[in-house]
Short mmCIF file of all heavy atoms in Angstrom, two decimals:
data_model
loop_
_atom_site.label_atom_id
_atom_site.label_comp_id
_atom_site.label_asym_id
_atom_site.label_seq_id
_atom_site.Cartn_x
_atom_site.Cartn_y
_atom_site.Cartn_z
N MET A 4 45.14 48.20 1.19
CA MET A 4 44.79 47.02 0.41
C MET A 4 46.07 46.39 -0.17
O MET A 4 46.86 47.05 -0.79
CB MET A 4 43.83 47.41 -0.72
CG MET A 4 43.44 46.25 -1.62
SD MET A 4 42.32 45.12 -0.88
CE MET A 4 40.81 45.61 -1.65
N GLU A 5 46.25 45.12 0.11
CA GLU A 5 47.46 44.46 -0.36
C GLU A 5 47.26 44.02 -1.80
O GLU A 5 46.15 43.71 -2.22
CB GLU A 5 47.74 43.25 0.52
CG GLU A 5 48.06 43.63 1.94
CD GLU A 5 48.36 42.42 2.78
OE1 GLU A 5 48.80 41.41 2.24
OE2 GLU A 5 48.14 42.51 3.98
N ASN A 6 48.36 43.97 -2.52
CA ASN A 6 48.20 43.53 -3.89
C ASN A 6 48.05 42.01 -3.97
O ASN A 6 48.32 41.27 -3.01
CB ASN A 6 49.34 44.06 -4.78
CG ASN A 6 50.67 43.44 -4.40
OD1 ASN A 6 50.74 42.26 -4.11
ND2 ASN A 6 51.71 44.23 -4.41
N LYS A 7 47.63 41.55 -5.15
CA LYS A 7 47.31 40.13 -5.34
C LYS A 7 48.52 39.22 -5.12
O LYS A 7 48.41 38.16 -4.52
CB LYS A 7 46.77 39.95 -6.76
CG LYS A 7 45.96 38.72 -6.96
CD LYS A 7 45.31 38.74 -8.31
CE LYS A 7 44.43 37.54 -8.51
NZ LYS A 7 43.73 37.56 -9.77
N GLU A 8 49.69 39.67 -5.61
CA GLU A 8 50.91 38.89 -5.45
C GLU A 8 51.25 38.68 -3.97
O GLU A 8 51.59 37.59 -3.54
CB GLU A 8 52.08 39.61 -6.11
CG GLU A 8 52.71 38.85 -7.22
CD GLU A 8 53.78 39.63 -7.91
OE1 GLU A 8 54.77 40.01 -7.25
OE2 GLU A 8 53.63 39.87 -9.12
N GLN A 9 51.14 39.76 -3.20
CA GLN A 9 51.43 39.69 -1.77
C GLN A 9 50.46 38.74 -1.08
O GLN A 9 50.85 37.93 -0.22
CB GLN A 9 51.34 41.08 -1.14
CG GLN A 9 51.69 41.11 0.34
CD GLN A 9 53.14 40.73 0.62
OE1 GLN A 9 54.04 41.30 0.03
NE2 GLN A 9 53.35 39.77 1.50
N LEU A 10 49.20 38.80 -1.46
CA LEU A 10 48.18 37.93 -0.89
C LEU A 10 48.49 36.46 -1.15
O LEU A 10 48.42 35.61 -0.25
CB LEU A 10 46.81 38.31 -1.46
CG LEU A 10 45.61 37.62 -0.86
CD1 LEU A 10 45.46 37.95 0.61
CD2 LEU A 10 44.35 38.02 -1.61
N ILE A 11 48.88 36.17 -2.39
CA ILE A 11 49.22 34.78 -2.75
C ILE A 11 50.42 34.31 -1.94
O ILE A 11 50.42 33.20 -1.39
CB ILE A 11 49.48 34.65 -4.27
CG1 ILE A 11 48.17 34.85 -5.03
CG2 ILE A 11 50.11 33.32 -4.60
CD1 ILE A 11 48.33 35.05 -6.52
N MET A 12 51.46 35.17 -1.84
CA MET A 12 52.65 34.80 -1.08
C MET A 12 52.32 34.58 0.40
O MET A 12 52.84 33.67 1.03
CB MET A 12 53.74 35.86 -1.23
CG MET A 12 54.40 35.87 -2.58
SD MET A 12 55.01 34.26 -3.11
CE MET A 12 56.27 33.94 -1.90
N ASP A 13 51.43 35.42 0.93
CA ASP A 13 51.03 35.26 2.32
C ASP A 13 50.32 33.92 2.55
O ASP A 13 50.49 33.28 3.58
CB ASP A 13 50.10 36.40 2.75
CG ASP A 13 50.87 37.68 3.04
OD1 ASP A 13 52.11 37.66 3.06
OD2 ASP A 13 50.19 38.71 3.25
N LYS A 14 49.53 33.51 1.57
CA LYS A 14 48.82 32.23 1.72
C LYS A 14 49.75 31.03 1.58
O LYS A 14 49.52 29.99 2.18
CB LYS A 14 47.68 32.15 0.70
CG LYS A 14 46.52 33.06 1.06
CD LYS A 14 45.35 32.89 0.13
CE LYS A 14 44.17 33.74 0.60
NZ LYS A 14 42.98 33.57 -0.23
N LEU A 15 50.82 31.21 0.78
CA LEU A 15 51.74 30.09 0.54
C LEU A 15 52.83 29.99 1.60
O LEU A 15 53.39 28.91 1.82
CB LEU A 15 52.41 30.25 -0.83
CG LEU A 15 51.49 30.08 -2.04
CD1 LEU A 15 52.25 30.40 -3.32
CD2 LEU A 15 50.92 28.68 -2.09
N THR A 16 53.13 31.09 2.27
CA THR A 16 54.23 31.11 3.23
C THR A 16 53.75 30.65 4.60
O THR A 16 52.83 31.23 5.18
CB THR A 16 54.81 32.54 3.34
OG1 THR A 16 55.22 32.96 2.05
CG2 THR A 16 56.00 32.57 4.30
N LYS A 17 54.36 29.59 5.09
CA LYS A 17 54.01 29.07 6.41
C LYS A 17 54.89 29.74 7.47
O LYS A 17 56.11 29.61 7.43
CB LYS A 17 54.18 27.55 6.48
CG LYS A 17 53.39 26.78 5.45
CD LYS A 17 51.91 27.02 5.55
CE LYS A 17 51.15 26.22 4.50
NZ LYS A 17 49.78 26.69 4.30
N ILE A 18 54.26 30.44 8.36
CA ILE A 18 54.99 31.07 9.46
C ILE A 18 55.26 30.03 10.54
O ILE A 18 56.36 29.92 11.06
CB ILE A 18 54.18 32.25 10.05
CG1 ILE A 18 54.09 33.39 9.04
CG2 ILE A 18 54.78 32.72 11.38
CD1 ILE A 18 55.38 34.14 8.81
N CYS A 19 54.24 29.29 10.89
CA CYS A 19 54.41 28.18 11.83
C CYS A 19 54.41 26.89 11.01
O CYS A 19 53.36 26.39 10.62
CB CYS A 19 53.28 28.17 12.86
SG CYS A 19 53.41 26.81 14.05
N THR A 20 55.62 26.41 10.73
CA THR A 20 55.72 25.23 9.88
C THR A 20 55.25 23.96 10.60
O THR A 20 54.71 23.06 9.97
CB THR A 20 57.17 25.04 9.38
OG1 THR A 20 58.04 25.08 10.51
CG2 THR A 20 57.55 26.13 8.40
N CYS A 21 55.42 23.91 11.90
CA CYS A 21 54.98 22.72 12.65
C CYS A 21 53.47 22.51 12.51
O CYS A 21 52.99 21.38 12.39
CB CYS A 21 55.32 22.86 14.12
SG CYS A 21 57.06 22.87 14.51
N LYS A 22 52.71 23.59 12.55
CA LYS A 22 51.25 23.50 12.51
C LYS A 22 50.69 23.94 11.16
O LYS A 22 49.48 24.04 10.99
CB LYS A 22 50.64 24.35 13.63
CG LYS A 22 51.11 23.99 15.02
CD LYS A 22 50.62 22.63 15.46
CE LYS A 22 49.22 22.71 15.99
NZ LYS A 22 48.77 21.45 16.60
N SER A 23 51.58 24.21 10.22
CA SER A 23 51.19 24.62 8.87
C SER A 23 50.25 25.83 8.86
O SER A 23 49.20 25.81 8.23
CB SER A 23 50.55 23.42 8.14
OG SER A 23 50.46 23.68 6.77
N ILE A 24 50.65 26.86 9.57
CA ILE A 24 49.84 28.07 9.66
C ILE A 24 50.48 29.17 8.82
O ILE A 24 51.66 29.49 8.99
CB ILE A 24 49.68 28.52 11.12
CG1 ILE A 24 48.97 27.41 11.90
CG2 ILE A 24 48.90 29.83 11.22
CD1 ILE A 24 48.98 27.58 13.39
N SER A 25 49.68 29.70 7.91
CA SER A 25 50.21 30.65 6.93
C SER A 25 50.37 32.06 7.49
O SER A 25 49.74 32.42 8.49
CB SER A 25 49.29 30.70 5.71
OG SER A 25 48.06 31.29 6.09
N ARG A 26 51.18 32.83 6.79
CA ARG A 26 51.32 34.25 7.14
C ARG A 26 49.98 34.95 6.98
O ARG A 26 49.65 35.84 7.74
CB ARG A 26 52.38 34.88 6.23
CG ARG A 26 52.71 36.31 6.58
CD ARG A 26 53.99 36.76 5.94
NE ARG A 26 53.90 36.71 4.49
CZ ARG A 26 54.96 36.58 3.67
NH1 ARG A 26 56.17 36.49 4.16
NH2 ARG A 26 54.81 36.52 2.36
N TYR A 27 49.20 34.52 5.98
CA TYR A 27 47.88 35.10 5.74
C TYR A 27 46.99 34.93 6.98
O TYR A 27 46.35 35.88 7.43
CB TYR A 27 47.23 34.40 4.53
CG TYR A 27 45.81 34.81 4.26
CD1 TYR A 27 45.53 36.04 3.67
CD2 TYR A 27 44.76 33.98 4.61
CE1 TYR A 27 44.23 36.42 3.41
CE2 TYR A 27 43.45 34.35 4.34
CZ TYR A 27 43.19 35.57 3.75
OH TYR A 27 41.90 35.94 3.51
N LYS A 28 46.97 33.73 7.55
CA LYS A 28 46.15 33.46 8.73
C LYS A 28 46.60 34.30 9.93
O LYS A 28 45.76 34.87 10.66
CB LYS A 28 46.21 31.96 9.07
CG LYS A 28 45.44 31.56 10.30
CD LYS A 28 43.95 31.71 10.08
CE LYS A 28 43.16 31.30 11.31
NZ LYS A 28 41.75 31.66 11.16
N ILE A 29 47.90 34.37 10.12
CA ILE A 29 48.43 35.17 11.24
C ILE A 29 48.04 36.63 11.08
O ILE A 29 47.57 37.28 12.03
CB ILE A 29 49.97 35.04 11.34
CG1 ILE A 29 50.40 33.58 11.53
CG2 ILE A 29 50.52 35.94 12.45
CD1 ILE A 29 50.10 32.96 12.86
N LYS A 30 48.19 37.16 9.86
CA LYS A 30 47.84 38.57 9.62
C LYS A 30 46.36 38.82 9.87
O LYS A 30 45.97 39.84 10.43
CB LYS A 30 48.20 38.96 8.19
CG LYS A 30 49.66 39.24 7.96
CD LYS A 30 49.86 39.70 6.52
CE LYS A 30 51.24 40.25 6.28
NZ LYS A 30 51.39 40.70 4.86
N GLN A 31 45.52 37.87 9.42
CA GLN A 31 44.07 38.01 9.63
C GLN A 31 43.74 38.15 11.11
O GLN A 31 42.92 38.98 11.52
CB GLN A 31 43.34 36.78 9.09
CG GLN A 31 42.98 36.84 7.64
CD GLN A 31 42.03 35.71 7.30
OE1 GLN A 31 42.15 34.59 7.80
NE2 GLN A 31 41.08 35.99 6.44
N VAL A 32 44.35 37.29 11.92
CA VAL A 32 44.10 37.28 13.36
C VAL A 32 44.58 38.58 14.01
O VAL A 32 43.88 39.16 14.85
CB VAL A 32 44.76 36.02 13.99
CG1 VAL A 32 44.78 36.11 15.49
CG2 VAL A 32 44.03 34.78 13.54
N ILE A 33 45.74 39.07 13.58
CA ILE A 33 46.26 40.33 14.12
C ILE A 33 45.29 41.46 13.79
O ILE A 33 44.95 42.29 14.64
CB ILE A 33 47.67 40.62 13.56
CG1 ILE A 33 48.67 39.58 14.07
CG2 ILE A 33 48.12 42.04 13.96
CD1 ILE A 33 50.02 39.62 13.37
N GLU A 34 44.81 41.48 12.55
CA GLU A 34 43.88 42.54 12.12
C GLU A 34 42.55 42.48 12.86
O GLU A 34 41.85 43.49 12.99
CB GLU A 34 43.67 42.46 10.61
CG GLU A 34 44.88 42.97 9.84
CD GLU A 34 44.84 42.65 8.35
OE1 GLU A 34 43.77 42.26 7.86
OE2 GLU A 34 45.88 42.79 7.70
N LYS A 35 42.20 41.30 13.35
CA LYS A 35 40.95 41.16 14.12
C LYS A 35 41.10 41.62 15.56
O LYS A 35 40.14 41.57 16.34
CB LYS A 35 40.46 39.72 14.08
CG LYS A 35 39.84 39.34 12.75
CD LYS A 35 39.36 37.91 12.73
CE LYS A 35 38.80 37.57 11.36
NZ LYS A 35 38.60 36.12 11.19
N GLY A 36 42.33 42.01 15.95
CA GLY A 36 42.51 42.56 17.29
C GLY A 36 43.32 41.69 18.24
O GLY A 36 43.51 42.06 19.40
N PHE A 37 43.79 40.55 17.75
CA PHE A 37 44.65 39.71 18.60
C PHE A 37 46.06 40.26 18.41
O PHE A 37 46.76 39.89 17.48
CB PHE A 37 44.54 38.24 18.17
CG PHE A 37 43.17 37.68 18.40
CD1 PHE A 37 42.17 37.81 17.45
CD2 PHE A 37 42.87 37.05 19.59
CE1 PHE A 37 40.90 37.31 17.67
CE2 PHE A 37 41.59 36.54 19.82
CZ PHE A 37 40.61 36.68 18.86
N ASP A 38 46.42 41.19 19.30
CA ASP A 38 47.57 42.02 19.01
C ASP A 38 48.79 41.76 19.89
O ASP A 38 49.68 42.59 19.97
CB ASP A 38 47.18 43.49 19.09
CG ASP A 38 46.60 43.85 20.46
OD1 ASP A 38 46.51 42.95 21.31
OD2 ASP A 38 46.25 45.02 20.64
N ASP A 39 48.84 40.62 20.53
CA ASP A 39 50.10 40.24 21.18
C ASP A 39 50.35 38.76 20.91
O ASP A 39 49.46 38.02 20.50
CB ASP A 39 50.11 40.56 22.68
CG ASP A 39 49.11 39.74 23.46
OD1 ASP A 39 49.22 38.50 23.46
OD2 ASP A 39 48.21 40.34 24.07
N ILE A 40 51.57 38.37 21.15
CA ILE A 40 52.02 37.03 20.74
C ILE A 40 51.18 35.92 21.37
O ILE A 40 50.81 34.96 20.70
CB ILE A 40 53.53 36.86 21.02
CG1 ILE A 40 54.09 35.60 20.38
CG2 ILE A 40 53.84 36.88 22.49
CD1 ILE A 40 54.38 35.72 18.93
N GLU A 41 50.85 36.06 22.63
CA GLU A 41 50.07 35.01 23.30
C GLU A 41 48.66 34.90 22.72
O GLU A 41 48.13 33.80 22.55
CB GLU A 41 50.02 35.25 24.81
CG GLU A 41 51.27 34.82 25.53
CD GLU A 41 51.74 33.41 25.18
OE1 GLU A 41 50.92 32.47 25.21
OE2 GLU A 41 52.92 33.25 24.87
N ALA A 42 48.05 36.04 22.43
CA ALA A 42 46.70 36.04 21.86
C ALA A 42 46.71 35.40 20.48
O ALA A 42 45.83 34.59 20.16
CB ALA A 42 46.17 37.47 21.78
N VAL A 43 47.71 35.72 19.68
CA VAL A 43 47.81 35.13 18.34
C VAL A 43 48.05 33.62 18.44
O VAL A 43 47.44 32.82 17.72
CB VAL A 43 48.94 35.80 17.52
CG1 VAL A 43 49.19 35.06 16.22
CG2 VAL A 43 48.60 37.26 17.25
N ARG A 44 48.90 33.23 19.36
CA ARG A 44 49.19 31.81 19.52
C ARG A 44 47.95 31.05 19.97
O ARG A 44 47.66 29.95 19.48
CB ARG A 44 50.33 31.62 20.52
CG ARG A 44 51.66 32.07 19.96
CD ARG A 44 52.74 32.08 20.99
NE ARG A 44 53.18 30.71 21.25
CZ ARG A 44 54.33 30.41 21.83
NH1 ARG A 44 55.13 31.36 22.23
NH2 ARG A 44 54.67 29.17 22.04
N LYS A 45 47.22 31.60 20.91
CA LYS A 45 46.00 30.94 21.40
C LYS A 45 44.95 30.82 20.30
O LYS A 45 44.30 29.80 20.15
CB LYS A 45 45.41 31.71 22.57
CG LYS A 45 45.99 31.33 23.90
CD LYS A 45 45.26 32.02 25.03
CE LYS A 45 45.97 31.76 26.34
NZ LYS A 45 45.52 32.62 27.40
N LYS A 46 44.80 31.88 19.52
CA LYS A 46 43.77 31.91 18.49
C LYS A 46 44.07 30.96 17.34
O LYS A 46 43.18 30.33 16.78
CB LYS A 46 43.59 33.35 17.98
CG LYS A 46 42.51 33.53 16.96
CD LYS A 46 41.14 33.30 17.54
CE LYS A 46 40.06 33.56 16.50
NZ LYS A 46 38.73 33.17 17.00
N THR A 47 45.36 30.87 16.96
CA THR A 47 45.71 30.10 15.76
C THR A 47 46.28 28.72 16.06
O THR A 47 46.28 27.85 15.19
CB THR A 47 46.77 30.85 14.92
OG1 THR A 47 47.97 30.98 15.70
CG2 THR A 47 46.26 32.22 14.49
N GLY A 48 46.81 28.53 17.24
CA GLY A 48 47.49 27.27 17.55
C GLY A 48 48.97 27.33 17.22
O GLY A 48 49.71 26.39 17.48
N ALA A 49 49.40 28.46 16.64
CA ALA A 49 50.83 28.62 16.34
C ALA A 49 51.62 28.55 17.64
O ALA A 49 51.18 29.05 18.67
CB ALA A 49 51.08 29.97 15.66
N GLY A 50 52.75 27.90 17.57
CA GLY A 50 53.59 27.79 18.76
C GLY A 50 53.31 26.55 19.58
O GLY A 50 54.00 26.27 20.55
N SER A 51 52.31 25.78 19.17
CA SER A 51 51.97 24.58 19.94
C SER A 51 52.43 23.31 19.23
O SER A 51 52.02 22.21 19.58
CB SER A 51 50.47 24.51 20.20
OG SER A 51 49.77 24.44 18.97
N GLY A 52 53.28 23.49 18.23
CA GLY A 52 53.78 22.34 17.49
C GLY A 52 55.03 21.74 18.11
O GLY A 52 55.37 22.06 19.25
N TYR A 53 55.68 20.93 17.32
CA TYR A 53 56.85 20.17 17.79
C TYR A 53 57.93 21.06 18.41
O TYR A 53 58.49 20.74 19.45
CB TYR A 53 57.43 19.36 16.63
CG TYR A 53 58.67 18.60 16.99
CD1 TYR A 53 58.59 17.45 17.77
CD2 TYR A 53 59.93 19.04 16.57
CE1 TYR A 53 59.73 16.74 18.11
CE2 TYR A 53 61.07 18.35 16.91
CZ TYR A 53 60.97 17.20 17.68
OH TYR A 53 62.10 16.51 18.02
N CYS A 54 58.19 22.23 17.78
CA CYS A 54 59.30 23.06 18.27
C CYS A 54 58.86 23.98 19.41
O CYS A 54 59.68 24.72 19.96
CB CYS A 54 59.92 23.87 17.14
SG CYS A 54 59.02 25.37 16.68
N LYS A 55 57.59 23.95 19.74
CA LYS A 55 57.04 24.76 20.84
C LYS A 55 57.26 26.26 20.64
O LYS A 55 57.48 27.00 21.61
CB LYS A 55 57.61 24.33 22.20
CG LYS A 55 57.33 22.89 22.55
CD LYS A 55 55.89 22.69 22.85
CE LYS A 55 55.58 21.23 23.20
NZ LYS A 55 54.23 20.85 22.91
N GLY A 56 57.24 26.69 19.40
CA GLY A 56 57.34 28.11 19.10
C GLY A 56 58.74 28.63 18.89
O GLY A 56 58.93 29.82 18.65
N LYS A 57 59.72 27.75 18.96
CA LYS A 57 61.11 28.18 18.80
C LYS A 57 61.31 28.86 17.43
O LYS A 57 62.03 29.84 17.33
CB LYS A 57 62.04 26.97 18.93
CG LYS A 57 63.50 27.31 18.87
CD LYS A 57 64.34 26.07 19.07
CE LYS A 57 65.80 26.41 18.84
NZ LYS A 57 66.61 25.21 18.67
N ASN A 58 60.67 28.31 16.41
CA ASN A 58 60.87 28.84 15.05
C ASN A 58 59.86 29.89 14.62
O ASN A 58 60.13 30.65 13.70
CB ASN A 58 60.85 27.69 14.04
CG ASN A 58 61.99 26.72 14.26
OD1 ASN A 58 63.09 27.11 14.61
ND2 ASN A 58 61.70 25.44 14.11
N CYS A 59 58.71 29.94 15.24
CA CYS A 59 57.67 30.86 14.74
C CYS A 59 57.40 32.06 15.64
O CYS A 59 56.75 33.01 15.20
CB CYS A 59 56.36 30.11 14.49
SG CYS A 59 55.65 29.33 15.95
N THR A 60 57.89 32.06 16.85
CA THR A 60 57.60 33.18 17.75
C THR A 60 58.15 34.50 17.20
O THR A 60 57.42 35.50 17.17
CB THR A 60 58.17 32.90 19.15
OG1 THR A 60 57.51 31.74 19.67
CG2 THR A 60 57.93 34.07 20.09
N GLU A 61 59.39 34.50 16.76
CA GLU A 61 60.00 35.74 16.27
C GLU A 61 59.29 36.27 15.02
O GLU A 61 58.96 37.46 14.97
CB GLU A 61 61.49 35.52 16.02
CG GLU A 61 62.22 36.82 15.76
CD GLU A 61 63.72 36.61 15.66
OE1 GLU A 61 64.28 35.82 16.43
OE2 GLU A 61 64.32 37.25 14.79
N PRO A 62 59.03 35.43 14.00
CA PRO A 62 58.32 35.96 12.82
C PRO A 62 56.91 36.45 13.14
O PRO A 62 56.44 37.42 12.54
CB PRO A 62 58.26 34.79 11.85
CG PRO A 62 59.07 33.69 12.41
CD PRO A 62 59.53 34.07 13.78
N ILE A 63 56.23 35.82 14.09
CA ILE A 63 54.90 36.30 14.48
C ILE A 63 55.02 37.67 15.14
O ILE A 63 54.25 38.59 14.85
CB ILE A 63 54.19 35.30 15.42
CG1 ILE A 63 53.84 34.02 14.67
CG2 ILE A 63 52.91 35.93 16.01
CD1 ILE A 63 53.36 32.88 15.56
N GLN A 64 56.02 37.80 16.03
CA GLN A 64 56.22 39.10 16.69
C GLN A 64 56.53 40.19 15.67
O GLN A 64 56.06 41.32 15.79
CB GLN A 64 57.33 38.99 17.73
CG GLN A 64 57.48 40.23 18.59
CD GLN A 64 56.22 40.55 19.39
OE1 GLN A 64 55.75 39.72 20.16
NE2 GLN A 64 55.65 41.72 19.20
N GLU A 65 57.30 39.85 14.64
CA GLU A 65 57.62 40.82 13.58
C GLU A 65 56.35 41.25 12.85
O GLU A 65 56.18 42.43 12.53
CB GLU A 65 58.62 40.22 12.59
CG GLU A 65 60.03 40.20 13.13
CD GLU A 65 61.01 39.50 12.19
OE1 GLU A 65 60.67 39.29 11.00
OE2 GLU A 65 62.10 39.16 12.64
N LEU A 66 55.45 40.31 12.58
CA LEU A 66 54.19 40.66 11.92
C LEU A 66 53.35 41.59 12.79
O LEU A 66 52.74 42.54 12.29
CB LEU A 66 53.38 39.40 11.57
CG LEU A 66 53.93 38.55 10.43
CD1 LEU A 66 53.12 37.26 10.29
CD2 LEU A 66 53.93 39.31 9.11
N ILE A 67 53.33 41.32 14.08
CA ILE A 67 52.60 42.19 15.02
C ILE A 67 53.22 43.58 15.02
O ILE A 67 52.52 44.59 14.91
CB ILE A 67 52.59 41.58 16.44
CG1 ILE A 67 51.77 40.29 16.46
CG2 ILE A 67 52.04 42.60 17.45
CD1 ILE A 67 51.92 39.47 17.73
N ASP A 68 54.55 43.63 15.14
CA ASP A 68 55.25 44.92 15.16
C ASP A 68 55.01 45.69 13.87
O ASP A 68 54.75 46.90 13.89
CB ASP A 68 56.76 44.72 15.37
CG ASP A 68 57.07 44.16 16.75
OD1 ASP A 68 56.19 44.20 17.63
OD2 ASP A 68 58.19 43.66 16.94
N ASN A 69 55.10 45.00 12.73
CA ASN A 69 54.89 45.66 11.44
C ASN A 69 53.47 46.19 11.31
O ASN A 69 53.24 47.26 10.77
CB ASN A 69 55.17 44.70 10.27
CG ASN A 69 56.63 44.38 10.15
OD1 ASN A 69 57.47 45.08 10.70
ND2 ASN A 69 56.93 43.31 9.43
N TYR A 70 52.52 45.44 11.83
CA TYR A 70 51.14 45.87 11.77
C TYR A 70 50.96 47.20 12.50
O TYR A 70 50.36 48.13 11.99
CB TYR A 70 50.22 44.81 12.40
CG TYR A 70 48.77 45.22 12.43
CD1 TYR A 70 47.99 45.17 11.27
CD2 TYR A 70 48.17 45.67 13.60
CE1 TYR A 70 46.66 45.57 11.29
CE2 TYR A 70 46.84 46.07 13.63
CZ TYR A 70 46.09 45.99 12.47
OH TYR A 70 44.77 46.40 12.50
N TRP A 71 51.56 47.31 13.69
CA TRP A 71 51.41 48.54 14.47
C TRP A 71 52.23 49.68 13.88
O TRP A 71 51.81 50.84 13.99
CB TRP A 71 51.78 48.28 15.93
CG TRP A 71 50.68 47.48 16.58
CD1 TRP A 71 50.73 46.18 16.95
CD2 TRP A 71 49.35 47.92 16.86
NE1 TRP A 71 49.53 45.77 17.44
CE2 TRP A 71 48.66 46.82 17.40
CE3 TRP A 71 48.68 49.12 16.68
CZ2 TRP A 71 47.32 46.90 17.78
CZ3 TRP A 71 47.34 49.20 17.06
CH2 TRP A 71 46.68 48.10 17.60
N GLU A 72 53.37 49.37 13.28
CA GLU A 72 54.16 50.42 12.62
C GLU A 72 53.41 51.03 11.45
O GLU A 72 53.53 52.21 11.16
CB GLU A 72 55.50 49.87 12.14
CG GLU A 72 56.50 49.69 13.25
CD GLU A 72 57.78 49.00 12.78
OE1 GLU A 72 58.02 48.92 11.57
OE2 GLU A 72 58.51 48.53 13.65
N ASP A 73 52.63 50.19 10.75
CA ASP A 73 51.87 50.66 9.58
C ASP A 73 50.62 51.45 9.97
O ASP A 73 49.99 52.06 9.12
CB ASP A 73 51.47 49.50 8.68
CG ASP A 73 52.69 48.86 8.02
OD1 ASP A 73 53.77 49.49 8.01
OD2 ASP A 73 52.57 47.73 7.51
N LYS A 74 50.24 51.38 11.24
CA LYS A 74 49.01 52.07 11.69
C LYS A 74 49.26 53.55 11.88
O LYS A 74 50.29 54.01 12.19
CB LYS A 74 48.50 51.46 12.99
CG LYS A 74 47.85 50.13 12.77
CD LYS A 74 46.52 50.34 12.15
CE LYS A 74 46.01 49.10 11.44
NZ LYS A 74 44.85 49.34 10.63
S1 FES B 10 57.07 26.50 13.94
FE1 FES B 10 55.43 27.03 15.22
S2 FES B 10 55.43 25.52 16.78
FE2 FES B 10 57.09 25.02 15.51
#
C-alpha cells in the first residue's frame, strides 16, 4: 500500500507530457497486467504524442522494471 504523499505525487507527475498521462495512470495499467512497454502504450496512449515516445518510453520502462523488482 502506497502512502498518501506518494499517491498525490503520482497523480501530479506526468510521465507522458505530450499526452498528459500521469505516473498514477501508468502504474494502474501495469498493475492490471499490461506488463510490457507496447501493452502500456496501447492501453494508455502514451508514446503517441508529438515526441512519439522519445521522452516517455524510458520512464515507463523503469516503472515496469520497478514493478517486477518489487514482486
Ligand atoms: S512524452 Fe509521451 S509521446 Fe511525448
Side-chain angles (χ1 to χ4, degrees):
M4 178 73 102
E5 296 181 26
N6 67 40
K7 201 172 183 177
E8 241 176 61
Q9 183 64 52
L10 187 62
I11 291 168
M12 287 309 295
D13 282 352
K14 287 185 176 183
L15 292 174
T16 303
K17 303 301 181 196
I18 291 289
C19 179
T20 51
C21 293
K22 303 292 278 188
S23 194
I24 299 169
S25 68
R26 186 164 61 205
Y27 174 76
K28 178 68 180 171
I29 301 290
K30 282 184 170 181
Q31 273 191 322
V32 168
I33 294 169
E34 286 168 13
K35 285 180 182 167
F37 295 87
D38 58 0
D39 66 61
I40 191 80
E41 281 311 310
V43 171
R44 289 172 76 162
K45 274 186 187 167
K46 183 67 177 172
T47 63
S51 62
Y53 177 74
C54 80
K55 301 290 180 206
K57 184 178 173 195
N58 296 323
C59 61
T60 297
E61 191 174 320
I63 292 170
Q64 187 61 57
E65 283 176 15
L66 288 174
I67 293 169
D68 294 344
N69 290 343
Y70 177 77
W71 287 108
E72 283 174 16
D73 292 344
K74 285 286 159 190

